[in-house]
Structures are given as C-alpha cells and as structure tokens.
Amino acid sequence: MMTSEQYVESLRKMNLQVYFMGEKIDNPVDHPMIRPSMNSVAMTYKLAEMEEYKDLMTATSNLTGKRINRFCHLHQSTEDLKNKVKMQRLLGQKTASCFQRCVGMDAFNAIYSTTFEMDRELGTEYHKRFVKYMEFVQENDLVVDGAMTDPKGDRSLSPSQQPDPDLYVHITEVRPDGIVVRGAKAHQTGAVNSHEHLIMPTIAMKAEDSDYAVSFAVPSDAEGVIMIYGRQSCDTRKMEPGAEIDLGNSEFGGHEALVVFDDVFVPNERVFMCKEYKYAGMMVERFAGYHRQSYGGCKVGVGDVLIGAAALAADYNGVPKATHIKDKLIEMIHLNETLYSCGIACSSEGTQMDAGNYMIDLLLANVCKQNITRLPYEIARLAEDIAGGLMVTMPSEQDLRHPELGPIVKKYLVGATGKDTENRMRILRLIENITLGTAAVGYRTESMHGAGSPQAQRIMIARQGDLEAKKELARAIAKVDVSKDK
Ligand code: SF4
Ligand code: FE
C-alpha cells in the first residue's frame, strides 16, 4: 500500500492535461484550488496507515490474499459492505468534504460481477481481463475515477439519435489490438486526483446504441484525455493570498471535472464491454446501487461535522441552553442517523453475487439515496438557522487581520462572554463552506444529483417495491374475492 506522501508524489509523475478557468494547469498537485481536494484523497491513504483505523480502512484481497486499501476491495461479505459505509462516514468526519475515491470502489464491484455474468453467458473474456486489472489496481494502490455520467445532450433522444454522436462515450473504431473511443464524461468526481479512469455506460442500451455500450480503463494521462476542472461556489477564495479562515475548510475539499476522450486508443486487455448492449443496464444499475449506498456513509460523516459546527455556533452565540436550539440539534442528529441507518440497512441485507462479491440490497440503497436528496437540505437549513445571519455577512479575514479594522471587527463580532471572536468566525465560515461554499457541492447539490437524480431512484423503487405482492397482502386480509371483480 502507498503512504499518503507516496500518493501525492505518484500524481506528480503523471502528465495530466488539466484546464481551469481558460488556462492549462501544468502542476495540478500544488495548485491552490486543486490541492485541498487532493488532500482529501490523501486521507484515504493516511488513515489506512494508522493502527486505530486499520480494520476499517484495509481488507484482505480475495484475488491475492494480500492486505489492501478497502477502497480497492471487492466486498466479500455483508460485514465488508457495512465496513465500507463506516469507512466513508469516518472519512467524511475527517475531511468534511468529498474524498472522491468511492466512485472507483463502486465501479470495481459493479464491473466485477457484470463481466462475470457476461463471460458465463457469452463466452467472452472480460472478467478475466478485469481480474488482471484489479490485481494491478490493488498491487499499486491506485485511485481510480469510476466514470458513468455522459453529457446526454437532448434527454428525449437515445445516444445514437443525438445530433452530435459524441454526447455519449462511444466506440469509433475496433482494431485487432483494441478500440478507439470518443466522447466525454461530465462531473467526474476526483478526476484530476486519479491515476486511472474506469468508464461505464450511463444508461441501458438498445441494439441501435451498441457502439455506446462500452466499458474500459485508461490511465488519466493517456493520449487524448483532457480534463476541464469544474467551478465551485466561492472557489476563488482559495486563490486569495494567505486565505485561511475565509475558506471555512482550508485543508480539504472535493472536485469534479469534465473529462474528454478525444479518439483515445484502449488496448484489448483494458476493454470490459464492447457493444454487448444487453449488459449496459446491468452495469449501470449495480454501480448506481453501490454509490447510493455510499452516500449513507459519506454524507453522514460530513453531517456529523456540520452538526458539531452548529452546536459550537450556539455556544459562541451564547445560546446553548435555549430549548429550541437543543431541539434543533436533536432533530439534526435524528435526520443524520436516519441516513446512516439506510446505509447500514442496505449493507446488512446484501447478498452474494454469482461472481462471489457482495451486492447491497437495491431497494434499500435506492431508499437511502432518495432520503439523501432531502434530509441534508433540512440539516443544512437547521444549521443556518442556529448559526445566524452573520455566517453570510461577516467581514473578511483581511479585515480581522487589519491593524485598524481588526480591533473593530473583534469588538463588534464578539459573542458569548469569554469566547474568542476569531474562533467564532472560524466556525461560522465552516458552516458557510458546507452549506453554501465549496463543500456545498458535495453536501447539498451532490446529495440531490450525485449517484443519480431523485427520479432515477423512484424508478428503481417502483421496480423493486413489488406493489403486486403488497396488493395480495391487502386482498388476503380483507378477504377480497377477485372473481367478483371485472
Ligand atoms: Fe465518495 Fe461521497 Fe464523494 Fe461519492 S460523494 S465519491 S460517495 S465521498
Ligand atoms: Fe458522488
């Protein structure tokens, strides 16, 4: 396994094509806007090095028998599934942001079981190839960006019907030694901090879309791969000289990027689906299911930090004993633990796939994510309520540090007697960061759209909910005679 320092150095060696705000970034590793997101990923290595987190952060590989980082693991039991969620909660607590490495882990598990079933039914060798690829990933302890979401263009048209054929990633050429692919994946979490990109289709496909039924892996610096870094609310604060308090969370963050594949060659050993359109939906459903489980861990961890910050804000405001404040904090804990319960429940009810790895309960994972589209918004609302308006009207760090303005800011921003004004400002900025700033990408809007927008879960809930069986239950209790119904 790599240390966190080795991870950062390994990225330095890559020749990534990264663009941000109209400029090519030659050194993403040390870029003030990007570095905090890299620090979050580095925590997935750092915690794995620590004795106290070893059991949660590492696992034994079913492929090699070696100790590996859990983020590279193929889950071997429901215990593994639960440990995954616990690990994600821990990392959310330690970074208060998206630590990005889960998309790869969720892709590994979805592709592993799907390719197994493809090989069994089609006589292909995708699973064999994928096992080799996983051994390479585990051996080198890599960060892999599991990539699913295509830009999608006109949502009423299928991939092959789009006026621009590149709006979904597709195969442009099949050669004896590999394939050439073209297109893009949008809002790719952690793309710039990843060694590899692991691509999956984004929707179920029909025969006419078979060129779009493709899964493959490429190094992040493969020829033809470019990444355009996404903007976040308040992101340029990170570029301000000496900025710290105003960032709310100066050390950690997350990021997304638009990843473009401009006629990229992929050798056969890295191709895991090539036009087998009937299996695209299976891969999508499994990846989405795992990632919907993931949110029952990571968002809960960030929620823990936000609840703590809200409680501290109440202390600094001098109102920790107010009954309505106490009640709001209880409500926040209740909502956060409800999300955790969903993450643990879909893991506990997991089952073994034919490939041998474990899959979460799909219905419960979709219920988990549907709750995630709602409850973090309420938790954020309560945090803002408790914090007070100062979290968005407060003077800047420069004013606090200013020789003449500083004492004025300190005098008028004072809170509870005996409490430090700068500490108060730090906590309010942290709440601002999680609810409205750079971390709000991960905590709010990603709670809505990440791992699929709410409607995607509702479709799955409808499919998995078995309404007919429930009708049967009601008929039996009410002694309904169906022969009397027309
Ligand atoms: Fe992991 Fe959560 Fe970020 Fe997804 S949003 S990569 S589950 S931390
Ligand atoms: Fe996500």
Side-chain angles (χ1 to χ4, degrees), residues 157-162 168-171 201 203-214 273-278 280:
L157 303 174
S158 78
S160 57
Q161 290 169 339
Q162 300 284 335
Y168 288 76
V169 171
H170 60 117
I171 301 161
I203 47 168
M205 305 270 177
K206 297 206 173 97
E208 59 267 31
D209 297 322
S210 59
D211 285 347
Y212 295 84
V214 62
M273 179 185 287
C274 180
K275 304 194 180 195
E276 293 82 2
Y277 64 91
K278 285 185 183 153

mmCIF file of all heavy atoms in Angstrom, residues 157-162 168-171 201 203-214 273-278 280:
data_model
loop_
_atom_site.group_PDB
_atom_site.id
_atom_site.type_symbol
_atom_site.label_atom_id
_atom_site.label_comp_id
_atom_site.label_asym_id
_atom_site.label_seq_id
_atom_site.Cartn_x
_atom_site.Cartn_y
_atom_site.Cartn_z
ATOM 1 N N LEU A 157 -33.728 12.035 -26.587
ATOM 2 C CA LEU A 157 -33.153 11.201 -27.647
ATOM 3 C C LEU A 157 -32.175 10.181 -27.083
ATOM 4 O O LEU A 157 -31.456 10.467 -26.118
ATOM 5 C CB LEU A 157 -32.419 12.092 -28.665
ATOM 6 C CG LEU A 157 -33.255 13.191 -29.336
ATOM 7 C CD1 LEU A 157 -32.361 14.073 -30.204
ATOM 8 C CD2 LEU A 157 -34.384 12.575 -30.161
ATOM 9 N N SER A 158 -32.138 9.004 -27.710
ATOM 10 C CA SER A 158 -31.207 7.965 -27.266
ATOM 11 C C SER A 158 -29.797 8.345 -27.733
ATOM 12 O O SER A 158 -29.637 9.259 -28.557
ATOM 13 C CB SER A 158 -31.623 6.612 -27.840
ATOM 14 O OG SER A 158 -31.221 6.539 -29.189
ATOM 15 N N PRO A 159 -28.767 7.652 -27.237
ATOM 16 C CA PRO A 159 -27.389 8.013 -27.629
ATOM 17 C C PRO A 159 -27.196 8.123 -29.142
ATOM 18 O O PRO A 159 -26.641 9.111 -29.631
ATOM 19 C CB PRO A 159 -26.560 6.870 -27.038
ATOM 20 C CG PRO A 159 -27.325 6.429 -25.837
ATOM 21 C CD PRO A 159 -28.777 6.602 -26.195
ATOM 22 N N SER A 160 -27.678 7.126 -29.885
ATOM 23 C CA SER A 160 -27.433 7.130 -31.330
ATOM 24 C C SER A 160 -28.307 8.133 -32.082
ATOM 25 O O SER A 160 -28.050 8.435 -33.245
ATOM 26 C CB SER A 160 -27.642 5.722 -31.904
ATOM 27 O OG SER A 160 -28.950 5.284 -31.603
ATOM 28 N N GLN A 161 -29.351 8.652 -31.430
ATOM 29 C CA GLN A 161 -30.222 9.638 -32.090
ATOM 30 C C GLN A 161 -29.732 11.074 -31.921
ATOM 31 O O GLN A 161 -30.259 11.986 -32.545
ATOM 32 C CB GLN A 161 -31.638 9.561 -31.508
ATOM 33 C CG GLN A 161 -32.390 8.297 -31.879
ATOM 34 C CD GLN A 161 -33.667 8.151 -31.049
ATOM 35 O OE1 GLN A 161 -33.802 8.748 -29.974
ATOM 36 N NE2 GLN A 161 -34.594 7.357 -31.548
ATOM 37 N N GLN A 162 -28.747 11.305 -31.065
ATOM 38 C CA GLN A 162 -28.280 12.672 -30.794
ATOM 39 C C GLN A 162 -27.711 13.290 -32.075
ATOM 40 O O GLN A 162 -27.016 12.603 -32.831
ATOM 41 C CB GLN A 162 -27.175 12.653 -29.724
ATOM 42 C CG GLN A 162 -27.590 12.065 -28.395
ATOM 43 C CD GLN A 162 -28.464 13.001 -27.562
ATOM 44 O OE1 GLN A 162 -28.419 14.213 -27.702
ATOM 45 N NE2 GLN A 162 -29.292 12.409 -26.717
ATOM 46 N N TYR A 168 -22.554 10.902 -25.963
ATOM 47 C CA TYR A 168 -22.332 9.727 -25.102
ATOM 48 C C TYR A 168 -21.012 9.102 -25.567
ATOM 49 O O TYR A 168 -20.731 9.075 -26.774
ATOM 50 C CB TYR A 168 -23.451 8.696 -25.255
ATOM 51 C CG TYR A 168 -24.778 9.091 -24.643
ATOM 52 C CD1 TYR A 168 -25.608 10.015 -25.254
ATOM 53 C CD2 TYR A 168 -25.209 8.488 -23.450
ATOM 54 C CE1 TYR A 168 -26.829 10.363 -24.689
ATOM 55 C CE2 TYR A 168 -26.437 8.837 -22.881
ATOM 56 C CZ TYR A 168 -27.236 9.770 -23.501
ATOM 57 O OH TYR A 168 -28.446 10.106 -22.955
ATOM 58 N N VAL A 169 -20.226 8.592 -24.624
ATOM 59 C CA VAL A 169 -18.947 7.966 -24.998
ATOM 60 C C VAL A 169 -19.232 6.765 -25.891
ATOM 61 O O VAL A 169 -20.113 5.948 -25.580
ATOM 62 C CB VAL A 169 -18.159 7.531 -23.737
ATOM 63 C CG1 VAL A 169 -16.949 6.678 -24.124
ATOM 64 C CG2 VAL A 169 -17.718 8.753 -22.934
ATOM 65 N N HIS A 170 -18.520 6.686 -27.008
ATOM 66 C CA HIS A 170 -18.793 5.582 -27.929
ATOM 67 C C HIS A 170 -17.525 5.095 -28.616
ATOM 68 O O HIS A 170 -16.488 5.771 -28.628
ATOM 69 C CB HIS A 170 -19.842 6.008 -28.968
ATOM 70 C CG HIS A 170 -19.427 7.178 -29.816
ATOM 71 N ND1 HIS A 170 -19.258 7.085 -31.167
ATOM 72 C CD2 HIS A 170 -19.147 8.459 -29.491
ATOM 73 C CE1 HIS A 170 -18.893 8.270 -31.641
ATOM 74 N NE2 HIS A 170 -18.826 9.128 -30.646
ATOM 75 N N ILE A 171 -17.668 3.910 -29.206
ATOM 76 C CA ILE A 171 -16.559 3.280 -29.921
ATOM 77 C C ILE A 171 -16.558 3.834 -31.342
ATOM 78 O O ILE A 171 -17.576 3.782 -32.034
ATOM 79 C CB ILE A 171 -16.753 1.748 -29.957
ATOM 80 C CG1 ILE A 171 -16.823 1.191 -28.536
ATOM 81 C CG2 ILE A 171 -15.648 1.060 -30.765
ATOM 82 C CD1 ILE A 171 -17.442 -0.196 -28.436
ATOM 83 N N PRO A 201 -21.033 2.517 -19.190
ATOM 84 C CA PRO A 201 -22.144 3.202 -19.862
ATOM 85 C C PRO A 201 -23.019 3.900 -18.821
ATOM 86 O O PRO A 201 -22.970 3.556 -17.637
ATOM 87 C CB PRO A 201 -22.925 2.073 -20.540
ATOM 88 C CG PRO A 201 -22.234 0.812 -20.225
ATOM 89 C CD PRO A 201 -21.155 1.053 -19.245
ATOM 90 N N ILE A 203 -26.598 4.508 -19.288
ATOM 91 C CA ILE A 203 -27.999 4.054 -19.290
ATOM 92 C C ILE A 203 -28.087 2.680 -19.950
ATOM 93 O O ILE A 203 -27.135 2.253 -20.617
ATOM 94 C CB ILE A 203 -28.940 5.015 -20.076
ATOM 95 C CG1 ILE A 203 -28.323 5.386 -21.431
ATOM 96 C CG2 ILE A 203 -29.308 6.240 -19.283
ATOM 97 C CD1 ILE A 203 -29.289 6.077 -22.371
ATOM 98 N N ALA A 204 -29.247 2.053 -19.787
ATOM 99 C CA ALA A 204 -29.494 0.800 -20.501
ATOM 100 C C ALA A 204 -29.538 1.116 -22.003
ATOM 101 O O ALA A 204 -29.971 2.192 -22.393
ATOM 102 C CB ALA A 204 -30.822 0.203 -20.055
ATOM 103 N N MET A 205 -29.049 0.210 -22.814
ATOM 104 C CA MET A 205 -28.935 0.481 -24.262
ATOM 105 C C MET A 205 -29.755 -0.521 -25.084
ATOM 106 O O MET A 205 -29.965 -1.659 -24.657
ATOM 107 C CB MET A 205 -27.473 0.344 -24.697
ATOM 108 C CG MET A 205 -26.504 1.199 -23.913
ATOM 109 S SD MET A 205 -26.287 2.816 -24.647
ATOM 110 C CE MET A 205 -25.181 3.549 -23.435
ATOM 111 N N LYS A 206 -30.133 -0.072 -26.296
ATOM 112 C CA LYS A 206 -30.785 -0.976 -27.253
ATOM 113 C C LYS A 206 -29.779 -1.303 -28.369
ATOM 114 O O LYS A 206 -28.709 -0.699 -28.439
ATOM 115 C CB LYS A 206 -32.006 -0.279 -27.845
ATOM 116 C CG LYS A 206 -33.064 0.039 -26.796
ATOM 117 C CD LYS A 206 -34.442 0.105 -27.450
ATOM 118 C CE LYS A 206 -35.530 0.254 -26.395
ATOM 119 N NZ LYS A 206 -35.937 1.643 -26.201
ATOM 120 N N ALA A 207 -30.177 -2.215 -29.262
ATOM 121 C CA ALA A 207 -29.251 -2.677 -30.313
ATOM 122 C C ALA A 207 -28.665 -1.513 -31.117
ATOM 123 O O ALA A 207 -27.473 -1.497 -31.428
ATOM 124 C CB ALA A 207 -29.974 -3.647 -31.241
ATOM 125 N N GLU A 208 -29.520 -0.507 -31.439
ATOM 126 C CA GLU A 208 -29.017 0.608 -32.265
ATOM 127 C C GLU A 208 -27.977 1.457 -31.536
ATOM 128 O O GLU A 208 -27.271 2.245 -32.153
ATOM 129 C CB GLU A 208 -30.180 1.489 -32.768
ATOM 130 C CG GLU A 208 -31.035 2.112 -31.684
ATOM 131 C CD GLU A 208 -32.265 1.274 -31.305
ATOM 132 O OE1 GLU A 208 -32.187 0.027 -31.391
ATOM 133 O OE2 GLU A 208 -33.292 1.865 -30.914
ATOM 134 N N ASP A 209 -27.888 1.289 -30.207
ATOM 135 C CA ASP A 209 -26.918 2.064 -29.428
ATOM 136 C C ASP A 209 -25.682 1.233 -29.068
ATOM 137 O O ASP A 209 -24.924 1.605 -28.170
ATOM 138 C CB ASP A 209 -27.565 2.559 -28.122
ATOM 139 C CG ASP A 209 -28.727 3.506 -28.379
ATOM 140 O OD1 ASP A 209 -28.615 4.311 -29.323
ATOM 141 O OD2 ASP A 209 -29.728 3.428 -27.650
ATOM 142 N N SER A 210 -25.478 0.110 -29.745
ATOM 143 C CA SER A 210 -24.434 -0.809 -29.277
ATOM 144 C C SER A 210 -23.032 -0.187 -29.278
ATOM 145 O O SER A 210 -22.198 -0.551 -28.447
ATOM 146 C CB SER A 210 -24.457 -2.115 -30.067
ATOM 147 O OG SER A 210 -24.275 -1.842 -31.424
ATOM 148 N N ASP A 211 -22.773 0.776 -30.155
ATOM 149 C CA ASP A 211 -21.452 1.431 -30.127
ATOM 150 C C ASP A 211 -21.224 2.178 -28.811
ATOM 151 O O ASP A 211 -20.096 2.538 -28.476
ATOM 152 C CB ASP A 211 -21.321 2.448 -31.275
ATOM 153 C CG ASP A 211 -21.107 1.772 -32.609
ATOM 154 O OD1 ASP A 211 -20.815 0.557 -32.612
ATOM 155 O OD2 ASP A 211 -21.262 2.446 -33.642
ATOM 156 N N TYR A 212 -22.323 2.437 -28.127
ATOM 157 C CA TYR A 212 -22.246 3.206 -26.871
ATOM 158 C C TYR A 212 -22.167 2.292 -25.652
ATOM 159 O O TYR A 212 -22.009 2.771 -24.538
ATOM 160 C CB TYR A 212 -23.465 4.124 -26.753
ATOM 161 C CG TYR A 212 -23.494 5.192 -27.823
ATOM 162 C CD1 TYR A 212 -24.013 4.939 -29.091
ATOM 163 C CD2 TYR A 212 -22.980 6.451 -27.569
ATOM 164 C CE1 TYR A 212 -24.022 5.910 -30.074
ATOM 165 C CE2 TYR A 212 -22.979 7.433 -28.541
ATOM 166 C CZ TYR A 212 -23.513 7.158 -29.789
ATOM 167 O OH TYR A 212 -23.507 8.133 -30.749
ATOM 168 N N ALA A 213 -22.342 0.995 -25.871
ATOM 169 C CA ALA A 213 -22.238 0.029 -24.771
ATOM 170 C C ALA A 213 -20.768 -0.328 -24.618
ATOM 171 O O ALA A 213 -20.263 -1.259 -25.246
ATOM 172 C CB ALA A 213 -23.081 -1.209 -25.072
ATOM 173 N N VAL A 214 -20.067 0.457 -23.809
ATOM 174 C CA VAL A 214 -18.621 0.277 -23.727
ATOM 175 C C VAL A 214 -18.131 0.534 -22.302
ATOM 176 O O VAL A 214 -18.615 1.434 -21.615
ATOM 177 C CB VAL A 214 -17.900 1.199 -24.756
ATOM 178 C CG1 VAL A 214 -18.152 2.679 -24.485
ATOM 179 C CG2 VAL A 214 -16.403 0.916 -24.809
ATOM 180 N N MET A 273 -16.259 -4.153 -21.858
ATOM 181 C CA MET A 273 -17.536 -4.301 -22.557
ATOM 182 C C MET A 273 -17.336 -3.637 -23.907
ATOM 183 O O MET A 273 -16.805 -2.534 -23.982
ATOM 184 C CB MET A 273 -18.691 -3.629 -21.803
ATOM 185 C CG MET A 273 -20.037 -3.734 -22.519
ATOM 186 S SD MET A 273 -21.365 -2.810 -21.694
ATOM 187 C CE MET A 273 -21.684 -3.817 -20.277
ATOM 188 N N CYS A 274 -17.709 -4.352 -24.964
ATOM 189 C CA CYS A 274 -17.515 -3.782 -26.295
ATOM 190 C C CYS A 274 -18.747 -4.135 -27.142
ATOM 191 O O CYS A 274 -18.781 -5.168 -27.786
ATOM 192 C CB CYS A 274 -16.231 -4.326 -26.905
ATOM 193 S SG CYS A 274 -15.897 -3.689 -28.548
ATOM 194 N N LYS A 275 -19.774 -3.323 -27.029
ATOM 195 C CA LYS A 275 -21.007 -3.419 -27.814
ATOM 196 C C LYS A 275 -22.033 -4.422 -27.277
ATOM 197 O O LYS A 275 -23.064 -4.634 -27.907
ATOM 198 C CB LYS A 275 -20.705 -3.728 -29.285
ATOM 199 C CG LYS A 275 -19.756 -2.726 -29.940
ATOM 200 C CD LYS A 275 -19.746 -2.864 -31.434
ATOM 201 C CE LYS A 275 -18.781 -1.856 -32.038
ATOM 202 N NZ LYS A 275 -18.950 -1.681 -33.458
ATOM 203 N N GLU A 276 -21.767 -5.088 -26.148
ATOM 204 C CA GLU A 276 -22.758 -6.041 -25.606
ATOM 205 C C GLU A 276 -23.846 -5.234 -24.903
ATOM 206 O O GLU A 276 -23.934 -5.188 -23.664
ATOM 207 C CB GLU A 276 -22.087 -7.029 -24.644
ATOM 208 C CG GLU A 276 -21.111 -7.986 -25.301
ATOM 209 C CD GLU A 276 -19.734 -7.377 -25.527
ATOM 210 O OE1 GLU A 276 -19.529 -6.213 -25.138
ATOM 211 O OE2 GLU A 276 -18.862 -8.056 -26.097
ATOM 212 N N TYR A 277 -24.689 -4.596 -25.685
ATOM 213 C CA TYR A 277 -25.638 -3.596 -25.170
ATOM 214 C C TYR A 277 -26.600 -4.137 -24.115
ATOM 215 O O TYR A 277 -27.058 -3.419 -23.243
ATOM 216 C CB TYR A 277 -26.423 -2.963 -26.331
ATOM 217 C CG TYR A 277 -27.301 -3.926 -27.075
ATOM 218 C CD1 TYR A 277 -28.621 -4.120 -26.695
ATOM 219 C CD2 TYR A 277 -26.812 -4.661 -28.158
ATOM 220 C CE1 TYR A 277 -29.428 -5.021 -27.364
ATOM 221 C CE2 TYR A 277 -27.599 -5.568 -28.821
ATOM 222 C CZ TYR A 277 -28.912 -5.749 -28.422
ATOM 223 O OH TYR A 277 -29.703 -6.642 -29.072
ATOM 224 N N LYS A 278 -26.878 -5.455 -24.170
ATOM 225 C CA LYS A 278 -27.839 -6.021 -23.213
ATOM 226 C C LYS A 278 -27.336 -5.946 -21.763
ATOM 227 O O LYS A 278 -28.116 -6.080 -20.831
ATOM 228 C CB LYS A 278 -28.142 -7.471 -23.566
ATOM 229 C CG LYS A 278 -29.049 -7.578 -24.775
ATOM 230 C CD LYS A 278 -29.453 -9.003 -25.053
ATOM 231 C CE LYS A 278 -30.299 -9.053 -26.307
ATOM 232 N NZ LYS A 278 -30.199 -10.346 -26.990
ATOM 233 N N ALA A 280 -25.446 -3.364 -20.569
ATOM 234 C CA ALA A 280 -25.187 -1.978 -20.140
ATOM 235 C C ALA A 280 -26.052 -1.619 -18.931
ATOM 236 O O ALA A 280 -25.562 -1.093 -17.927
ATOM 237 C CB ALA A 280 -25.452 -1.014 -21.294
#
